[in-house]
Amino acid sequence: MAASTPTSDNSPNIPEYEYGNANSTTFHIDSLRKEWLSRLKPSDYSHRADDEDAFHANFAHEMGVSVDMMRALKEVCSTEALRCHPEDQQPDPEVVPEDPTLKTLVERKKRQDYKSSLKISKNRHDLYADEQERLAFTMKPEAVENRVPEGDVILTINVYYPATFEKFCYVRPHVTLLLLGSQSLTELRDAICCISDLQVCGEFSDTPDVAPDFVSKDHYKSAYFFFEGVFYNDMRYPECCDISQTTITWVKANNFPSYSQAKMEDTKLVDLKVKVGFPYLYCHQGDCEHIVIITDVRLTHKDDCLDRKFYPLLTHKHRVSTQKCAVCYTFIARWCTTGDQFAPSHPCLFCDKCFRMLHYDADGNKLGDFLAYPYVDSGAFN
Amino acid sequence: MNWSRQRNEHVRSDCEELLARFQQTDSVRFENFSRIWREMKFGQIFYGTAGREKRAFSRLVLDVAFVYFLPPFSFQIRVGGLYLIYGLYRCQTASPRVGIRVALKDWEDVLGFQKDALGARHLDAVFVLRQLRFQRAFHFTATPRALTFERRAKEARSQLGNKFVARASGPQELLDRDAMEELSNVHELYGRLKSSVYSPAQRERLGVDLTRENLPARLRGHVVGFHGWQKRERQEASDGDEGVSEGTSARAESSRRARLLSSIKSKAYGQAAEACKSRRHRQVEVDAGDSSGPAPPKGRSTSRRVSLKARTHENVRIAGEMWKEATTPTSINRLTAVDRGPEAKKEGRS
């Protein structure tokens, strides 16, 4: 699909590809939804399955064909005509068939043979992803008020992990969320799990027993989304401040086109004017920045999960391996020490038990010289 | 990344193979299509995928196939494309079924196709399309594919695709029968109006033509000439391989010229100049690589640098034990190991 100059009679709400085909042009989501609904019949996007005989009868009536002709048509165009093997000899669909003629199959066979020669059959990403995928589909609610209405839009949003790991340069680790158009940005914000929200600040080598009961999430509640030149700030709590203000004042001072602000809790996703496939920004904790890309916008379908309670729905998540204790390599690390005379490396990770055994005596006195910080592992959300 | 691009290419070439065979039947009947489908055992394209790969592959193959349902392909290919997505949708192994994505900008083309098929009374095509709509096979989206801001290398359009494109019919469409009738009526009226200004005697003395002679006939002559020229071009290009009617297509003038230019260039640079007589024993070797193949597999002109690890492995050779120690990273984890008896004593810190 080459990028073409939009013709003059195209309404601005019909998105085209932008130059480079990596993303679409800007469009207003609700207008897109209305455009689609105006062009479709309600039966096209309804969630109910209709009666097939009624459909055939209507078709025959509309085309003015006889019953025999209709029967012949049904027979010719049925799935039976596409059956490649006789009914009782269906080969196993999980296995590549013998003597494949299609190029895709030849290549697939080669890959399968190669994979079976490797020792590791599945990696950790696949193990959980299969499970997640199964949960995402065909959930029907019991109560009618929880049902997703027909004609609503579903957005698929990728939220990428902050680019602070050197390891993740060539792979783009992300979380994929499905959201309804009628949901607001705050619901998106609440669904994003970032470990920087759970960080506890402070040095606790002298008082390891004081369980830190506050996390960064409770301290620093401000956050914003940045879409198409507008900062959407979270102002739900009295502690929230407008952290986008510094950027806006800088922009004004430096001759950039100015940006505007809005409230996150007042903006529904359908009110946004965005590009599909274009990276935007989510910033929280003052400096933890995530790239947000809206990968897909479409009308709801009968095979989607139709229960409102489940949205925002997580469909894909990159698993990060957990860091374990350096001593026992069994438990997940809870403490991180620096300048530690007992530790082989700087910094070094310990689980709770090993930490206390190594650094404190039986009475709980601190032995030696070190600094200890509570550590939240990046794989905490696995 | 290379693997997924290769897979795209294979899927596309399989679809084009099927559509090329369908094109040769010169008909738009579903029976012919299903016969070819059964011959090629196309339903097997889904076999061998497992788990999540089923949905991903169904998505890929439906996206690839949907392109053939839209303009600028010829009507027969579009019908073939419709049957193809119908077949793929029904035969896919993923459950629940993966839907067919239709972008808002393409919906008009779909409706236009339905209208054409209705007008020509191709009942099977209309029935298939209506069935897909009835079965809620379509997902109504903003863009044809989900976009993640990945810059893809330009996908080479295969040579075969050019044969599927409908021939340009601008002049024919502009001057169809109704337009010609109206044009000739208006022309007559115009001529009469202009000549009524002068008396017959004055008209003879005027040396000029007041209107163009026989404008409608000449226009028609031009259009027919254009059509004949197109046909001749196509015949030349396909070397008599093609059948007639809507299946064939005209290659655009510009692409022919571009190909001519590229062939000249490849001859100029691909072939090294012959060495002079005195140095004939040192003829320059020419790499007999595929210069202007139909689908250049590597879009990138700069060659990929071999990774540091591979280069180190290549260049640095350390013997035996020291090499093993040098390559395994120092692990600060596992400082202790569960004591399993005498064997554990041998395992030191790595």
Side-chain angles (χ1 to χ4, degrees), chain A residues 81 104 108 111 301 327, chain B residues 3 14 38 47 108 136 336:
Chain A
T104 323
R108 192 177 291 156
R111 265 188 77 77
H301 186 259
V327 178
Chain B
W3 165 73
D14 284 334
R38 284 194 302 271
Y47 288 6
E108 297 298 329
R136 319 273 193 276
T336 60

Side-chain angles (χ1 to χ4, degrees), chain A residues 36 39 44 48 62-63 77 81 85 93 103-104 108 111-112 126 133 172 296-297 299 301 327, chain B residues 3 14 37-38 44-45 47-48 52 55 86 101 108 121 130 133 136 140-142 148-149 336:
Chain A
W36 260 126
R39 286 150 208 258
D44 286 319
R48 282 187 341 261
E62 199 188 320
M63 299 291 135
C77 299
H85 307 274
K103 284 191 200 159
T104 323
R108 192 177 291 156
R111 265 188 77 77
Q112 273 194 345
D126 287 340
E133 178 116 350
R172 297 176 175 190
D296 183 26
V297 178
L299 292 182
H301 186 259
V327 178
Chain B
W3 165 73
D14 284 334
W37 175 281
R38 284 194 302 271
Q44 287 180 349
I45 202 169
Y47 288 6
R52 255 179 341 127
R55 296 199 78 84
Y86 177 66
R101 295 172 64 97
E108 297 298 329
R121 297 295 288 178
R130 289 281 179 87
R133 277 176 84 166
R136 319 273 193 276
F140 304 106
T141 71
T148 51
F149 204 65
T336 60

